[in-house]
Amino acid sequence: MNDLILAFEVLLSIYKDGAYSAIELNRKVVGVSNQAIVTRMVYGVLQKDVQLEYYLGKITSKRPSKTIAILLKLGLYCILYIDSMPKYAIVNNVVNICEKYGKRQLKGFVNATLKNFDVDKIDLPSDKVERLSVTASAPLWLVKKYVKQYGYDTSESFLSAPTFTKEHLRNNSKKLSLQGLKDKLDKQNIEYTQSEVGGLFVGNCGFVKGLCERGEATFQSMTSMLAVKAMEVKDGEKILDLCSAPGGKSILMSELASVEITACDIHEHRLDLIRAYANRMGASNIKILLNDACEYNENFVERFDKTLCDVPCSGLGVVGKKPDIYLNTSQEKINSLADTQYKILTNASKYTKKRIVYSTCTTLREENYNVVGKFVKENSEWQITSSNQYLPNGKGQDGFFIAVLERKYGK
């Protein structure tokens, strides 16, 4: 029962108080003996929220209170996806939690709802887009957008891609070669597979954490590395990273060439993240500055050869790793983000002589093609030389967008 209570308390904080799942799990669960199963339940309920909400609507005649809805979702998830827990034990424990949280009068309702639940007796929507929303557990408004932008088959493929559980690890070339990293893993009998960008997909463990703590290696997504490679940094260049925290892209650029990097972010605590990361990795050629990328900075005008704009975005491309993203995303927020992204890109164009790389970890045109397309339409001295939309594939590739913009005439 302790597993379910702890998972329920974390979910209450997320659903009712707006807490972030990773922060709340770190605060309440890290280090406890049942950390793995509690984390699985919390992330599982969040990942399946749309689906569980659909089932809840089918098995209850009236929408229960938020607390009881969260409790029922946890019970439904465990019944459907945790094979190691017998259904009777799940039902009994959830009913006990109901009483513990002062909902004694609803024990019978919770007990009957879960005991009588049979997923095979619930009909899915007849409309295939609505059905995909349920089976993939993605908001219907978003699924409709995806189908319009990518077509049904492609949308179904990436929305239904399994969650990839390995981490992408790269060597710190200042301290360790890729082969050296492989040798260390081989000696520990740690399995890995190499990615197309020169990193390794590996399970997180104590030894791997130790490599990262010593700065010999670091976790960095494959698509994040692709954005850095698109910069094509060369010795002697001055590079601006406008939205840098936690600093992984700046640090990788510092390893690829002898460049002068200015890494910026909007809050001091985010600059601390960059400083800590740079110190750990031994990156000494990075100047870290407080700067609001949305505000024009006249001190930056035409000072940089290239600029990386890894702009704030909805994060829909990494929802598999951050399942509460769906809870906090709406069309209104997408529109607001697009405005912010355009401001940042416009400011970057004033600072940059040659090349801008615009990137996001999202999958919607509104934040990607539409932003850079509007920009080049309104700024004729710039052109898009390449753009790629990566979609989640369940094999380590996140949803990510990378566009390279070049100044036509140079400065």
Side-chain angles (χ1 to χ4, degrees), residues 116-386:
N116 295 327
F117 173 68
D118 184 350
V119 70
D120 293 330
K121 294 181 179 178
I122 297 177
D123 293 327
L124 293 173
S126 57
D127 178 84
K128 69 176 186 178
V129 175
E130 293 179 10
R131 186 167 61 252
L132 178 59
S133 171
V134 174
T135 57
S137 198
L140 180 59
W141 69 268
L142 183 60
V143 176
K144 288 180 177 179
K145 278 188 170 294
Y146 283 148
V147 170
K148 184 176 180 179
Q149 293 178 13
Y150 297 108
Y152 181 85
D153 290 344
T154 297
S155 300
E156 181 184 36
S157 177
F158 76 79
L159 283 171
S160 303
T163 300
F164 189 73
T165 58
K166 300 290 186 181
E167 299 281 358
H168 191 257
L169 186 74
R170 71 167 183 85
N171 62 297
N172 178 354
S173 60
K174 293 181 179 179
K175 298 182 179 183
L176 186 68
S177 68
L178 178 60
Q179 186 57 52
L181 176 58
K182 290 179 179 179
D183 291 343
K184 285 178 177 284
L185 296 175
D186 287 337
K187 287 180 181 179
Q188 298 294 320
N189 294 317
I190 295 173
E191 295 183 357
Y192 58 83
T193 55
Q194 185 165 334
S195 73
E196 63 188 62
V197 295
L200 306 174
F201 291 116
V202 63
N204 200 351
C205 63
F207 182 78
V208 171
K209 287 179 180 177
L211 291 174
C212 294
E213 289 169 358
R214 295 189 298 273
E216 296 178 83
T218 189
F219 294 123
Q220 187 166 18
S221 73
M222 185 174 70
T223 41
S224 174
M225 291 180 67
L226 286 170
V228 171
K229 290 180 181 294
M231 288 286 287
E232 296 183 356
V233 292
K234 296 179 173 60
D235 290 348
E237 289 182 330
K238 293 184 177 181
I239 305 297
L240 176 62
D241 186 353
L242 264 179
C243 309
S244 183
K249 296 181 181 67
S250 280
I251 289 163
L252 179 54
M253 286 189 285
S254 76
E255 295 175 35
L256 295 177
S258 178
V259 290
E260 178 185 313
I261 300 173
T262 299
C264 304
D265 221 290
I266 191 172
H267 298 298
E268 189 62 41
H269 73 273
R270 293 180 65 78
L271 299 187
D272 289 339
L273 295 175
I274 305 172
R275 294 187 187 103
Y277 201 163
N279 288 337
R280 176 165 58 86
M281 298 291 284
S284 58
N285 56 336
I286 301 176
K287 183 179 181 180
I288 301 169
L289 292 178
L290 187 69
N291 179 72
D292 184 349
C294 289
E295 298 294 328
Y296 178 70
N297 188 336
E298 62 181 13
N299 295 320
F300 283 178
V301 175
E302 296 184 15
R303 277 189 51 195
F304 302 95
D305 296 297
K306 296 173 182 176
T307 295
L308 175 62
C309 293
D310 187 45
V311 296
C313 70
S314 61
L316 289 167
V318 293
V319 72
K321 300 173 183 175
K322 301 177 180 179
D324 43 358
I325 283 174
Y326 281 157
L327 299 181
N328 302 307
T329 302
S330 66
Q331 182 61 64
E332 292 73 25
K333 288 185 178 180
I334 298 295
N335 294 339
S336 178
L337 282 165
D339 291 339
T340 297
Q341 293 154 356
Y342 189 79
K343 288 177 185 176
I344 293 172
L345 181 55
T346 299
N347 286 335
S349 70
K350 312 298 182 189
Y351 311 151
T352 312
K353 300 175 185 178
K354 299 177 183 177
R355 170 178 292 198
I356 297 171
V357 171
Y358 175 95
S359 65
T360 72
C361 56
T362 191
T363 42
L364 283 177
R365 290 186 64 96
E366 287 90 331
E367 300 180 76
N368 296 332
Y369 290 110
N370 292 3
V371 174
V372 295
K374 176 184 176 184
F375 173 78
V376 294
K377 185 176 180 180
E378 297 182 0
N379 295 270
S380 59
E381 70 273 27
W382 289 89
Q383 61 184 341
I384 301 170
T385 57
S386 69

Side-chain angles (χ1 to χ4, degrees), residues 79 87 91 110-118:
I79 290 170
K87 183 175 179 179
V91 175
V110 170
N111 180 72
T113 300
L114 293 179
K115 187 178 290 184
N116 295 327
F117 173 68
D118 184 350

